Amino acid sequence: MSAPAELRLPRYRRDPDGTHPPLGYPGYRSTALRHPKEPLIVLPHLLTEVTGPALGPGRIGEFDNDLTKGHAGEPQGQRIIVTGRLLDGDGRPIRDSLVEIWQANAGGRYRHTGDRWPSPLDPNFDGAGRTLTDSEGRYTFTTIKPGAYPWKNHDNAWRPAHIHFSVFGSAFTQRLVTQMYFPEDPLFSQDPIFNSIPDEKARQRMIARFDLDRTEAEWALAFQFDIVVRGREASVFEDEEDEH
């Protein structure tokens, strides 16, 4: 009986310095309580990290990628369509991958017990959605443009409008989280989360592009936001414990 073939595990390029924020960033005060105090250890990719999750169309509901539906009425705010591609470091599409989003409503409030600032909740908007990428790595969400909201990081601190994205590779252990911002937001200059990214070009990759071609007349504006998981053009990913 012949010996089993050797399992060859993939090797990944390290992302360039400056793409991701430091674990501790003085301007973002809560990182002082969150970041590791010891040097990180790079663990090898074993079978658990390279086997796929049990994802499929049957696990996604009809309105899971349309946050404006599934309620008694229409949500408040500007409808938007967010579309893009999930790509690897060589520009190849990552197909059949779970993409999840969560966001504040048009008034800048999350449907979360910890969000108590006095902006009204919208009974017709939950702020969470999910979808699977197609064969070309494409995804689409229909939602409401989120509002800015205050937080207590520094004096008169406001977070720019943003949408959180969670993407998966070929396994649940390959989860990455990022944020999508909107063009020309006046709050960029005072936001320590956005400005914690050392590389200016990497920061710009976090800003969606307005897409007039996908904009639907008298219905919804459209924005394009591609996500690249590795390589020179990698998107910026954050610590999963960050809540803002």
Side-chain angles (χ1 to χ4, degrees):
M1 183 175 179
S2 61
E6 180 184 359
L7 176 63
R8 294 184 178 274
L9 299 173
R11 293 180 177 271
Y12 299 109
R13 295 191 300 267
R14 302 292 293 174
D15 292 328
D17 291 339
T19 299
H20 303 300
L23 296 176
Y25 185 71
Y28 184 9
R29 295 191 313 182
S30 61
T31 60
L33 303 175
R34 294 175 176 174
H35 73 81
K37 300 301 189 293
E38 300 293 334
L40 299 183
I41 299 175
V42 178
L43 298 177
H45 288 261
L46 302 177
L47 189 61
T48 302
E49 285 73 40
V50 298
T51 52
L55 298 174
R59 295 178 179 269
I60 304 296
E62 180 181 3
F63 300 123
D64 281 3
N65 73 329
D66 190 340
L67 285 65
T68 68
K69 294 183 178 179
H71 299 87
E74 291 282 337
Q76 296 293 312
Q78 170 66 61
R79 296 186 197 91
I80 61 172
I81 298 167
V82 180
T83 187
R85 299 182 73 196
L86 180 61
L87 305 168
D88 69 13
D90 296 316
R92 295 174 299 206
I94 301 176
R95 57 181 61 89
D96 300 322
S97 183
L98 180 65
V99 180
E100 298 173 315
I101 64 170
W102 63 98
Q103 63 170 94
N105 65 21
R109 186 168 177 183
Y110 289 95
R111 186 174 290 277
H112 189 281
T113 56
D115 192 341
R116 300 297 181 89
W117 93 279
S119 179
L121 289 171
D122 186 339
N124 296 310
F125 189 75
D126 293 333
R130 61 180 182 170
T131 192
L132 292 175
T133 58
D134 66 12
S135 61
E136 296 298 321
R138 299 185 186 280
Y139 71 86
T140 299
F141 288 99
T142 302
T143 184
I144 296 295
K145 185 176 181 181
Y149 59 82
W151 61 313
K152 298 179 180 180
N153 184 79
H154 56 275
D155 181 54
N156 201 16
W158 291 76
R159 292 271 9 247
H162 62 280
I163 297 177
H164 297 266
F165 275 75
S166 166
V167 299
F168 287 86
S170 60
F172 281 116
T173 55
Q174 298 171 349
R175 178 175 184 256
L176 296 170
V177 177
T178 189
Q179 297 183 25
M180 184 198 92
Y181 297 90
F182 293 87
E184 300 180 356
D185 195 306
L187 294 172
F188 284 151
S189 63
Q190 61 85 64
D191 183 61
I193 297 180
F194 180 78
N195 290 297
S196 68
I197 312 306
D199 183 10
E200 170 64 22
K201 291 182 178 179
R203 288 198 296 271
Q204 294 303 312
R205 292 197 293 271
M206 300 172 68
I207 303 173
R209 298 184 298 278
F210 174 65
D211 189 345
L212 183 60
D213 292 336
R214 291 294 302 269
T215 292
E216 296 188 12
E218 301 180 27
W219 180 254
L221 299 177
F223 295 88
Q224 183 176 345
F225 185 62
D226 293 338
I227 302 173
V228 182
V229 296
R230 285 185 180 275
R232 186 177 302 277
E233 300 300 319
S235 300
V236 176
F237 298 107
E238 64 189 39
D239 189 323
E240 292 183 13
E241 294 183 357
D242 288 343
E243 299 293 337
H244 296 284

